[in-house]
Amino acid sequence: MNHRTVLAGVLTLTTGLTLAGCSSDSKPELKVVGAFMPQPISDMAAGFLVVRNSGDAADRLTSVTSPLSDNVTIHETKNQTMRMVSSFEVPAGGELDLERGGSHIMFMKLKQRPRQGEKVSLELHFEKAGPIKVDVPVKETTHNPKKQ
Ligand code: CU
């Protein structure tokens, strides 16, 4: 493939996406998969999950609520330092990955410490889509699905 062919392909793709974004009924279609919480060892906990968007519009995760804590925030990790963010993009036809070593949900001042085998209920709130409830299984403290 020469450069011209590549460029033409990119332009076609861009135009297609723009048109899809403009149609009045384009909307995000969200689904949560692979959620887990490592068993907390202090009064803080982290939550990990993937939000898949099979729709034709992007959305944003704006907040998370849970009976486990009144202080739940979303964090990104850069250069091994975590920092709170106000929202995360869930791209159209893509996914938002909250995974170990990266972005995550942070629970502070836990009201109780959930143990492995239990479930923690969460509600994810989005800019466009309605809220999604998830029952998150508590796994062993070192659980990491990517390393199995
Ligand atoms: Cu954090």
PDB file of all heavy atoms in Angstrom, residues 75 82 104 106, ligand 1:
ATOM      1  N   HIS A  75      -9.957   7.358  39.381  1.00  0.00           N
ATOM      2  CA  HIS A  75      -8.550   7.767  39.337  1.00  0.00           C
ATOM      3  C   HIS A  75      -7.873   7.254  38.084  1.00  0.00           C
ATOM      4  O   HIS A  75      -8.157   6.146  37.629  1.00  0.00           O
ATOM      5  CB  HIS A  75      -7.789   7.170  40.526  1.00  0.00           C
ATOM      6  CG  HIS A  75      -8.125   7.811  41.832  1.00  0.00           C
ATOM      7  ND1 HIS A  75      -7.476   7.491  42.994  1.00  0.00           N
ATOM      8  CD2 HIS A  75      -9.042   8.752  42.163  1.00  0.00           C
ATOM      9  CE1 HIS A  75      -7.975   8.220  43.986  1.00  0.00           C
ATOM     10  NE2 HIS A  75      -8.931   8.977  43.516  1.00  0.00           N
ATOM     11  N   MET A  82      -1.247   8.170  41.226  1.00  0.00           N
ATOM     12  CA  MET A  82      -2.645   8.253  40.836  1.00  0.00           C
ATOM     13  C   MET A  82      -3.228   9.619  41.130  1.00  0.00           C
ATOM     14  O   MET A  82      -2.806  10.328  42.025  1.00  0.00           O
ATOM     15  CB  MET A  82      -3.450   7.144  41.481  1.00  0.00           C
ATOM     16  CG  MET A  82      -3.474   7.188  42.963  1.00  0.00           C
ATOM     17  SD  MET A  82      -4.435   5.794  43.550  1.00  0.00           S
ATOM     18  CE  MET A  82      -4.531   6.201  45.267  1.00  0.00           C
ATOM     19  N   HIS A 104      -8.712   3.286  37.746  1.00  0.00           N
ATOM     20  CA  HIS A 104      -9.470   2.452  38.674  1.00  0.00           C
ATOM     21  C   HIS A 104     -10.517   3.274  39.405  1.00  0.00           C
ATOM     22  O   HIS A 104     -10.514   4.498  39.354  1.00  0.00           O
ATOM     23  CB  HIS A 104      -8.521   1.810  39.700  1.00  0.00           C
ATOM     24  CG  HIS A 104      -7.647   2.803  40.409  1.00  0.00           C
ATOM     25  ND1 HIS A 104      -6.466   3.258  39.863  1.00  0.00           N
ATOM     26  CD2 HIS A 104      -7.794   3.457  41.578  1.00  0.00           C
ATOM     27  CE1 HIS A 104      -5.922   4.133  40.695  1.00  0.00           C
ATOM     28  NE2 HIS A 104      -6.708   4.283  41.742  1.00  0.00           N
ATOM     29  N   MET A 106     -11.855   4.178  43.122  1.00  0.00           N
ATOM     30  CA  MET A 106     -11.218   4.232  44.441  1.00  0.00           C
ATOM     31  C   MET A 106     -12.282   4.435  45.509  1.00  0.00           C
ATOM     32  O   MET A 106     -13.093   5.350  45.414  1.00  0.00           O
ATOM     33  CB  MET A 106     -10.268   5.435  44.438  1.00  0.00           C
ATOM     34  CG  MET A 106      -9.350   5.477  45.576  1.00  0.00           C
ATOM     35  SD  MET A 106      -7.811   4.689  45.053  1.00  0.00           S
ATOM     36  CE  MET A 106      -7.096   4.495  46.653  1.00  0.00           C
TER      37      MET A 106
HETATM   38 CU    CU B   1      -6.635   5.613  43.374  1.00  0.00          CU
END
